[in-house]
Amino acid sequence: MVSYVNALLYGVGGLVVAGMALLVALQERLVYVPVLPGLTKSYPITPARLRLPYEDVWLQSSDGVRLHAWFIKLFPDCRGPTLLFFQENAGNIAHRLDMVRIMLQRLQCNVFMLSYRGYGASDGFPSQHGITKDAQAALDHLSQRTDIDTSRIVVFGRSLGGAVGAVVTKNNPDKVAALILENTFTSILDLAGVLFPFLKWFIGSSGAKGPKVLNFLVRSPWNTIDVVGEIKQPILFISGLQDEMIPPSQMQMLYAKAAARNRQCVFVEFPDGMHMDTWHSGGDRYWRTVKEFLLQHASERNESSKSGNDNGAR
């Protein structure tokens, strides 16, 4: 019996040690994937390939990292909403151009696409601290432009981009009119327990079961669940119920946390939506949902998106 208990303890200890080694050595590579397997870091195409008029924008983050972005306008004098788009964790902004092309057409908007540090043509190496600075640099640039309506800047983040977008929206209530979150996680801590079930007992949010002894090793926790509860601007939550990466329940948790304090939250589910293709599988209903949200919270007659209406879940 004693030997069995010892073996069990050694086994548990081995899992903890293995988990610690995995987190310390590989976590940035697991969270941030600037280069897809078999591809290069460079952009495979530019907006010009899709006949989209665009501007190459070069920025500098507050810690001196040189960043690249594309500013794509529907047409030269477009004063419609401007979406500050934050991408998922894998690949670069060029891989989102097909979606952005449709976004421009359906929403009649401008789109600003930032390459996080270490992604695309941007310098540096990705980290939560650094990417937060990158997002702020992008927003500061947009808010200083004279060729857009700066009262109609809306942040749109998908997956990791949702975590990024939530932080920059919370920190800038005077610059961001509204926020759109799509298939976003509650935290990297919670997501690690989903992607690596053998670590679930040792890593996760404070509300989960288990000792969570590995939490302190996570350098990019991205605790979106804590951030959304402090956002005052309107938020649209878009959830694909077939998401194979992030459990849809995490989107429900984000909505519940935000809606407890913010009456301007909307939650919309798409039954066939997967992690990356909800915009495609959702079809006309997807774009209609986003357009209605923009009309209500980022229209010319609705400065700074200060509507106090209670939209609720639908």
Side-chain angles (χ1 to χ4, degrees):
M1 178 66 178
V2 174
S3 61
Y4 173 78
V5 172
N6 287 339
L8 180 61
L9 291 175
Y10 280 127
V12 171
L15 281 176
V16 173
V17 172
M20 290 177 66
L22 183 67
L23 286 173
V24 171
L26 301 176
Q27 62 178 275
E28 271 76 24
R29 294 185 182 182
L30 294 171
V31 177
Y32 309 111
V33 189
V35 182
L36 293 171
L39 300 179
T40 64
K41 183 174 179 286
S42 61
Y43 304 125
I45 62 172
T46 70
R49 176 76 66 86
L50 301 181
R51 298 182 179 178
L52 298 175
Y54 76 103
E55 173 187 344
D56 277 305
V57 179
W58 293 97
L59 308 171
Q60 190 172 67
S61 64
S62 61
D63 58 350
V65 176
R66 189 169 184 253
L67 307 170
H68 177 254
W70 286 328
F71 184 45
I72 307 174
K73 299 193 74 173
L74 180 64
F75 48 83
D77 298 324
C78 179
R79 306 289 291 186
T82 295
L83 300 188
L84 174 52
F85 179 75
F86 295 120
Q87 67 159 75
E88 308 86 336
N89 74 319
N92 60 52
I93 54 177
H95 301 123
R96 279 78 195 176
L97 283 174
D98 281 336
M99 182 272 297
V100 167
R101 176 177 58 84
I102 298 175
M103 178 182 284
L104 290 163
Q105 297 169 352
R106 298 297 298 265
L107 303 181
Q108 298 290 291
C109 64
N110 307 310
V111 180
F112 191 91
M113 306 178 73
L114 172 70
S115 280
Y116 308 134
R117 61 183 61 199
Y119 283 70
S122 293
D123 294 340
F125 300 93
S127 68
Q128 177 172 339
H129 185 68
I131 290 176
T132 299
K133 292 180 180 294
D134 301 345
Q136 187 64 52
L139 178 60
D140 290 344
H141 168 82
L142 278 179
S143 66
Q144 294 166 11
R145 293 187 71 112
T146 59
D147 60 340
I148 65 170
D149 185 342
T150 56
S151 71
R152 304 175 73 186
I153 297 174
V154 175
V155 170
F156 192 136
R158 180 181 296 130
S159 190
L160 171 66
V164 178
V167 172
V168 77
T169 299
K170 176 185 79 72
N171 291 342
N172 296 271
D174 57 331
K175 294 180 180 179
V176 178
L179 170 66
I180 301 172
L181 294 180
E182 181 176 325
N183 296 337
T184 299
F185 46 77
T186 51
S187 73
I188 288 294
L189 299 173
D190 293 334
L191 188 58
V194 172
L195 299 179
F196 306 100
F198 68 95
L199 291 179
K200 193 171 186 178
W201 187 258
F202 308 105
I203 191 169
S205 64
S206 58
K209 295 180 180 179
K212 311 307 177 191
V213 295
L214 300 183
N215 283 6
F216 77 98
L217 293 174
V218 178
R219 294 184 288 268
S220 292
W222 290 112
N223 288 312
T224 316
I225 189 72
D226 294 331
V227 176
V228 294
E230 300 181 38
I231 294 174
K232 297 178 173 61
Q233 300 97 310
I235 310 175
L236 170 61
F237 295 83
I238 297 175
S239 178
L241 297 185
Q242 303 304 315
D243 193 325
E244 72 283 12
M245 292 291 295
I246 299 173
S249 60
Q250 292 198 14
M251 280 293 289
Q252 295 168 358
M253 292 170 66
L254 290 175
Y255 169 74
K257 184 66 176 287
R261 294 186 179 183
N262 185 345
R263 299 180 63 198
Q264 300 178 91
C265 294
V266 182
F267 186 89
V268 185
E269 297 178 331
F270 291 87
D272 299 323
M274 298 181 70
H275 188 61
M276 298 284 287
D277 80 342
T278 301
W279 65 272
H280 184 267
S281 61
D284 185 66
R285 178 171 172 256
Y286 177 95
W287 295 111
R288 192 168 62 246
T289 296
V290 177
K291 188 169 186 177
E292 289 174 358
F293 181 77
L294 294 179
L295 286 172
Q296 185 163 8
H297 299 293
S299 65
E300 289 182 283
R301 63 181 181 279
N302 189 16
E303 279 192 25
S304 302
S305 304
K306 299 301 183 183
S307 168
N309 293 333
D310 181 8
N311 299 305
R314 54 174 171 160

